[in-house]
Amino acid sequence: MNYTEARAIVEALIFASPGPISQKRIGELMDLTSRTIESIVKDIQDKYRRDKSGIQIVFVAGGYEMATRPEFADYVSRLNVEVRQSLSRPALETLAIIAYRQPITRPELENIRGVRVDSVLNTLMERHLIRVSGRKKAPGRPALYSTTSAFLQWFGLSSLDELPPLAQASGSLLGILGSR
Amino acid sequence: MKDAPNERLQPIKALEELARGLERGDQDPSSVSARNALEETISEIERIMGKPDLDYIGDFLSAASAVIKAKAEKLLPPEEHETGEIEDTGEREEESSSLDLEREWSNEALLAHLMEYRVFQDAVEELARRDAAWRGVFPRGRPIETNDDVSLASTEIGLAHLLSALKDILEDAPREEFSHVPQDELFLERSMDHIRSCIREKTKVAFFELFLRPVTRSNVIGVFLALLELIRLREVVVQQDRHFGEIMIAFVPGG
């Protein structure tokens, strides 16, 4: 296959995939290296940008998927496409703690947040943003919570590594402590 | 106390004076023994038991209770602005220092708490920013909004179907003379792991395939309980592609 054909196939695979498809998987299907796939996808992304297309290829949860551009959200939502609700502040706080401290138990979460989190955990479970990833070897064997790939997709993250490191955040805290 | 002689009124007057001193703050509450006040009250009652004078007893009890009330009120934790003004006896100092220690510890805990909480606030801001930015991005094929309707519907509808399917499987299982389902968590976890590995092998697994051969009633119940636990934990969903179709178990999408 020539390059133009390979690019068209990559585009078709990403289009037809029901979820994010990884470079490795595309590479296996096309007998090409991940690096080649990465280069081809970048080429397609550039083409979409040049054409001012309403579609983009995003890299989330370890794979590529096609999505609309946010600037056309108003029009797309008129299609009765389910528009997701924003997460509440308590839900975001709980998610942030789980994302950085996973796997983590409910008491540990409550200790950090200082409030009960049962209801928030249920909401996050219902949205499949978190899951029970195991049980802690402690009295009562409490459930351990971790984030899911849906969490990465929700926030447009390719992986958890894309989250800002906590060390940066603690720098601003030193100022607070210094002023005491 | 109309008929009480003056000398008999002395204990009452002394107690009333003590109560006023405590209320005014002239008297150090720690120097007043509530135990002594009670003991004096009891001994006074015992002394006059032979010739009861209800007015006298009433006045004495009233004065004694005023002392105890005044002492109790003074022993309540002081208001914050009074902290530096209190001059204490040893007992008071110990009480005060233990309160201070507690306050110190609370401050430490609060500070540690604040530090950890503050650290996460920056991450929360980042997530909030991304949440807003990606809200307008509609991915193809799979809505990012979770399939609540699918999973809830399949769980609710599937439960009746599951019970019906369970009944069929139990009917096939031979009756056991003595049957019990081990209640330990390890048994449950082993059964949960068994279900997980069955799904991993095929992406979706038929309900009847979960039950190991040879089928025993205790095993069937154990695996069924494990399946219910996995559904409760939202790890798996129970699906049926069509009416009267095969009941299939799969992992929750995105889980």
Side-chain angles (χ1 to χ4, degrees), chain A residues 1 4 19 25 45 60 64 71-72 83 92 98 105-106 108 111-112 122 124 146 150 168 177:
Chain A
M1 81 186 81
T4 309
R25 181 71 183 135
Q45 286 171 324
V60 291
Y64 297 111
E71 49 267 46
F72 306 118
V83 180
L92 285 170
I98 296 174
T105 65
R106 184 173 58 81
E108 287 165 347
N111 190 39
I112 295 172
N122 280 338
L124 295 175
S146 299
Q168 283 179 11
L177 296 175

Side-chain angles (χ1 to χ4, degrees), chain A residues 94-119:
Chain A
T94 307
L95 260 182
I97 295 167
I98 296 174
Y100 283 94
R101 291 278 187 266
Q102 61 186 298
I104 186 170
T105 65
R106 184 173 58 81
E108 287 165 347
L109 274 165
E110 289 177 344
N111 190 39
I112 295 172
R113 287 207 57 220
V115 290
R116 290 180 69 92
V117 296
D118 316 47
S119 156

Side-chain angles (χ1 to χ4, degrees), chain A residues 15 65 84 111 126-127, chain B residues 113 135 140 142 146 148:
Chain A
F15 178 83
E65 72 177 355
R84 75 181 202 199
N111 190 39
E126 278 170 12
R127 292 177 183 227
Chain B
H113 210 111
R135 200 165 163 245
R140 199 202 155 269
R142 172 198 36 77
T146 54
D148 280 354

